[in-house]
PDB file of all heavy atoms in Angstrom:
ATOM      1  N   ARG V 139      -0.448 -40.752  79.910  1.00  0.00           N
ATOM      2  CA  ARG V 139       0.755 -39.926  79.752  1.00  0.00           C
ATOM      3  C   ARG V 139       1.633 -40.013  80.994  1.00  0.00           C
ATOM      4  O   ARG V 139       2.862 -40.070  80.888  1.00  0.00           O
ATOM      5  CB  ARG V 139       0.365 -38.473  79.493  1.00  0.00           C
ATOM      6  CG  ARG V 139      -0.322 -38.233  78.162  1.00  0.00           C
ATOM      7  CD  ARG V 139      -0.679 -36.772  77.996  1.00  0.00           C
ATOM      8  NE  ARG V 139      -1.690 -36.598  76.964  1.00  0.00           N
ATOM      9  CZ  ARG V 139      -2.217 -35.423  76.618  1.00  0.00           C
ATOM     10  NH1 ARG V 139      -1.834 -34.329  77.245  1.00  0.00           N
ATOM     11  NH2 ARG V 139      -3.131 -35.363  75.675  1.00  0.00           N
ATOM     12  N   GLN V 140       0.995 -40.001  82.168  1.00  0.00           N
ATOM     13  CA  GLN V 140       1.788 -40.095  83.389  1.00  0.00           C
ATOM     14  C   GLN V 140       2.493 -41.440  83.460  1.00  0.00           C
ATOM     15  O   GLN V 140       3.634 -41.534  83.924  1.00  0.00           O
ATOM     16  CB  GLN V 140       0.887 -39.901  84.614  1.00  0.00           C
ATOM     17  CG  GLN V 140       1.636 -39.711  85.918  1.00  0.00           C
ATOM     18  CD  GLN V 140       2.596 -38.546  85.886  1.00  0.00           C
ATOM     19  OE1 GLN V 140       3.730 -38.685  85.433  1.00  0.00           O
ATOM     20  NE2 GLN V 140       2.152 -37.398  86.359  1.00  0.00           N
ATOM     21  N   ARG V 141       1.839 -42.492  82.971  1.00  0.00           N
ATOM     22  CA  ARG V 141       2.480 -43.807  82.962  1.00  0.00           C
ATOM     23  C   ARG V 141       3.681 -43.837  82.015  1.00  0.00           C
ATOM     24  O   ARG V 141       4.678 -44.505  82.284  1.00  0.00           O
ATOM     25  CB  ARG V 141       1.474 -44.891  82.579  1.00  0.00           C
ATOM     26  CG  ARG V 141       0.624 -45.340  83.758  1.00  0.00           C
ATOM     27  CD  ARG V 141      -0.224 -46.529  83.391  1.00  0.00           C
ATOM     28  NE  ARG V 141      -1.526 -46.109  82.894  1.00  0.00           N
ATOM     29  CZ  ARG V 141      -2.334 -46.865  82.170  1.00  0.00           C
ATOM     30  NH1 ARG V 141      -1.984 -48.088  81.853  1.00  0.00           N
ATOM     31  NH2 ARG V 141      -3.507 -46.423  81.781  1.00  0.00           N
ATOM     32  N   VAL V 142       3.578 -43.106  80.906  1.00  0.00           N
ATOM     33  CA  VAL V 142       4.722 -43.025  79.986  1.00  0.00           C
ATOM     34  C   VAL V 142       5.895 -42.350  80.697  1.00  0.00           C
ATOM     35  O   VAL V 142       7.048 -42.794  80.588  1.00  0.00           O
ATOM     36  CB  VAL V 142       4.344 -42.254  78.705  1.00  0.00           C
ATOM     37  CG1 VAL V 142       5.584 -42.058  77.821  1.00  0.00           C
ATOM     38  CG2 VAL V 142       3.267 -42.995  77.927  1.00  0.00           C
ATOM     39  N   ALA V 143       5.608 -41.271  81.430  1.00  0.00           N
ATOM     40  CA  ALA V 143       6.670 -40.577  82.172  1.00  0.00           C
ATOM     41  C   ALA V 143       7.298 -41.504  83.208  1.00  0.00           C
ATOM     42  O   ALA V 143       8.516 -41.498  83.405  1.00  0.00           O
ATOM     43  CB  ALA V 143       6.096 -39.336  82.840  1.00  0.00           C
ATOM     44  N   ILE V 144       6.478 -42.325  83.859  1.00  0.00           N
ATOM     45  CA  ILE V 144       7.001 -43.287  84.833  1.00  0.00           C
ATOM     46  C   ILE V 144       7.829 -44.361  84.116  1.00  0.00           C
ATOM     47  O   ILE V 144       8.878 -44.781  84.613  1.00  0.00           O
ATOM     48  CB  ILE V 144       5.848 -43.921  85.627  1.00  0.00           C
ATOM     49  CG1 ILE V 144       5.154 -42.857  86.495  1.00  0.00           C
ATOM     50  CG2 ILE V 144       6.354 -45.068  86.496  1.00  0.00           C
ATOM     51  CD1 ILE V 144       3.857 -43.323  87.117  1.00  0.00           C
ATOM     52  N   GLY V 145       7.363 -44.789  82.936  1.00  0.00           N
ATOM     53  CA  GLY V 145       8.105 -45.782  82.158  1.00  0.00           C
ATOM     54  C   GLY V 145       9.497 -45.292  81.794  1.00  0.00           C
ATOM     55  O   GLY V 145      10.469 -46.066  81.809  1.00  0.00           O
ATOM     56  N   ARG V 146       9.610 -44.011  81.503  1.00  0.00           N
ATOM     57  CA  ARG V 146      10.924 -43.434  81.175  1.00  0.00           C
ATOM     58  C   ARG V 146      11.871 -43.525  82.373  1.00  0.00           C
ATOM     59  O   ARG V 146      13.080 -43.625  82.219  1.00  0.00           O
ATOM     60  CB  ARG V 146      10.734 -41.980  80.738  1.00  0.00           C
ATOM     61  CG  ARG V 146      11.956 -41.346  80.105  1.00  0.00           C
ATOM     62  CD  ARG V 146      11.591 -40.049  79.419  1.00  0.00           C
ATOM     63  NE  ARG V 146      10.819 -39.183  80.299  1.00  0.00           N
ATOM     64  CZ  ARG V 146      10.149 -38.104  79.878  1.00  0.00           C
ATOM     65  NH1 ARG V 146      10.125 -37.801  78.598  1.00  0.00           N
ATOM     66  NH2 ARG V 146       9.492 -37.358  80.728  1.00  0.00           N
ATOM     67  N   SER V 147      11.285 -43.498  83.587  1.00  0.00           N
ATOM     68  CA  SER V 147      12.102 -43.661  84.794  1.00  0.00           C
ATOM     69  C   SER V 147      12.471 -45.121  85.031  1.00  0.00           C
ATOM     70  O   SER V 147      13.592 -45.440  85.432  1.00  0.00           O
ATOM     71  CB  SER V 147      11.347 -43.122  86.019  1.00  0.00           C
ATOM     72  OG  SER V 147      11.177 -41.731  85.932  1.00  0.00           O
ATOM     73  N   ILE V 148      11.514 -46.016  84.774  1.00  0.00           N
ATOM     74  CA  ILE V 148      11.746 -47.435  85.034  1.00  0.00           C
ATOM     75  C   ILE V 148      12.916 -47.971  84.212  1.00  0.00           C
ATOM     76  O   ILE V 148      13.738 -48.750  84.714  1.00  0.00           O
ATOM     77  CB  ILE V 148      10.466 -48.250  84.739  1.00  0.00           C
ATOM     78  CG1 ILE V 148       9.394 -47.948  85.791  1.00  0.00           C
ATOM     79  CG2 ILE V 148      10.766 -49.750  84.696  1.00  0.00           C
ATOM     80  CD1 ILE V 148       8.064 -48.597  85.487  1.00  0.00           C
ATOM     81  N   VAL V 149      13.013 -47.566  82.936  1.00  0.00           N
ATOM     82  CA  VAL V 149      14.047 -48.143  82.067  1.00  0.00           C
ATOM     83  C   VAL V 149      15.453 -47.786  82.530  1.00  0.00           C
ATOM     84  O   VAL V 149      16.426 -48.456  82.161  1.00  0.00           O
ATOM     85  CB  VAL V 149      13.856 -47.714  80.592  1.00  0.00           C
ATOM     86  CG1 VAL V 149      12.560 -48.270  80.046  1.00  0.00           C
ATOM     87  CG2 VAL V 149      13.930 -46.196  80.432  1.00  0.00           C
ATOM     88  N   ARG V 150      15.578 -46.751  83.353  1.00  0.00           N
ATOM     89  CA  ARG V 150      16.906 -46.368  83.847  1.00  0.00           C
ATOM     90  C   ARG V 150      17.357 -47.263  84.993  1.00  0.00           C
ATOM     91  O   ARG V 150      18.508 -47.191  85.412  1.00  0.00           O
ATOM     92  CB  ARG V 150      16.887 -44.908  84.294  1.00  0.00           C
ATOM     93  CG  ARG V 150      16.615 -43.922  83.168  1.00  0.00           C
ATOM     94  CD  ARG V 150      16.702 -42.506  83.662  1.00  0.00           C
ATOM     95  NE  ARG V 150      18.027 -42.220  84.218  1.00  0.00           N
ATOM     96  CZ  ARG V 150      18.319 -41.134  84.921  1.00  0.00           C
ATOM     97  NH1 ARG V 150      17.367 -40.242  85.181  1.00  0.00           N
ATOM     98  NH2 ARG V 150      19.534 -40.941  85.384  1.00  0.00           N
ATOM     99  N   ASN V 151      16.431 -48.084  85.514  1.00  0.00           N
ATOM    100  CA  ASN V 151      16.750 -48.999  86.616  1.00  0.00           C
ATOM    101  C   ASN V 151      17.438 -48.260  87.768  1.00  0.00           C
ATOM    102  O   ASN V 151      18.536 -48.637  88.195  1.00  0.00           O
ATOM    103  CB  ASN V 151      17.638 -50.146  86.119  1.00  0.00           C
ATOM    104  CG  ASN V 151      17.717 -51.283  87.123  1.00  0.00           C
ATOM    105  OD1 ASN V 151      16.770 -51.506  87.885  1.00  0.00           O
ATOM    106  ND2 ASN V 151      18.833 -51.985  87.142  1.00  0.00           N
ATOM    107  N   PRO V 152      16.792 -47.237  88.312  1.00  0.00           N
ATOM    108  CA  PRO V 152      17.439 -46.433  89.360  1.00  0.00           C
ATOM    109  C   PRO V 152      17.441 -47.152  90.703  1.00  0.00           C
ATOM    110  O   PRO V 152      16.691 -48.101  90.925  1.00  0.00           O
ATOM    111  CB  PRO V 152      16.552 -45.187  89.416  1.00  0.00           C
ATOM    112  CG  PRO V 152      15.198 -45.694  89.056  1.00  0.00           C
ATOM    113  CD  PRO V 152      15.438 -46.749  88.002  1.00  0.00           C
ATOM    114  N   LYS V 153      18.289 -46.664  91.611  1.00  0.00           N
ATOM    115  CA  LYS V 153      18.274 -47.181  92.977  1.00  0.00           C
ATOM    116  C   LYS V 153      17.076 -46.633  93.749  1.00  0.00           C
ATOM    117  O   LYS V 153      16.502 -47.310  94.597  1.00  0.00           O
ATOM    118  CB  LYS V 153      19.570 -46.796  93.693  1.00  0.00           C
ATOM    119  CG  LYS V 153      20.819 -47.427  93.111  1.00  0.00           C
ATOM    120  CD  LYS V 153      22.052 -46.948  93.865  1.00  0.00           C
ATOM    121  CE  LYS V 153      23.317 -47.563  93.276  1.00  0.00           C
ATOM    122  NZ  LYS V 153      24.534 -47.037  93.965  1.00  0.00           N
ATOM    123  N   VAL V 154      16.728 -45.379  93.445  1.00  0.00           N
ATOM    124  CA  VAL V 154      15.630 -44.713  94.151  1.00  0.00           C
ATOM    125  C   VAL V 154      14.774 -43.963  93.141  1.00  0.00           C
ATOM    126  O   VAL V 154      15.306 -43.226  92.298  1.00  0.00           O
ATOM    127  CB  VAL V 154      16.155 -43.721  95.217  1.00  0.00           C
ATOM    128  CG1 VAL V 154      14.992 -43.022  95.915  1.00  0.00           C
ATOM    129  CG2 VAL V 154      17.032 -44.435  96.232  1.00  0.00           C
ATOM    130  N   PHE V 155      13.452 -44.161  93.210  1.00  0.00           N
ATOM    131  CA  PHE V 155      12.501 -43.389  92.411  1.00  0.00           C
ATOM    132  C   PHE V 155      12.036 -42.176  93.227  1.00  0.00           C
ATOM    133  O   PHE V 155      11.673 -42.319  94.404  1.00  0.00           O
ATOM    134  CB  PHE V 155      11.275 -44.231  92.051  1.00  0.00           C
ATOM    135  CG  PHE V 155      11.499 -45.270  91.005  1.00  0.00           C
ATOM    136  CD1 PHE V 155      11.945 -46.544  91.346  1.00  0.00           C
ATOM    137  CD2 PHE V 155      11.265 -44.998  89.666  1.00  0.00           C
ATOM    138  CE1 PHE V 155      12.147 -47.512  90.384  1.00  0.00           C
ATOM    139  CE2 PHE V 155      11.457 -45.966  88.690  1.00  0.00           C
ATOM    140  CZ  PHE V 155      11.908 -47.229  89.054  1.00  0.00           C
TER     141      PHE V 155
END
Side-chain angles (χ1 to χ4, degrees):
R139 293 180 198 179
Q140 191 57 275
R141 278 188 269 161
V142 174
I144 294 169
R146 192 167 50 193
S147 294
I148 290 174
V149 295
R150 296 184 59 192
N151 194 30
K153 295 178 181 177
V154 179
F155 286 88

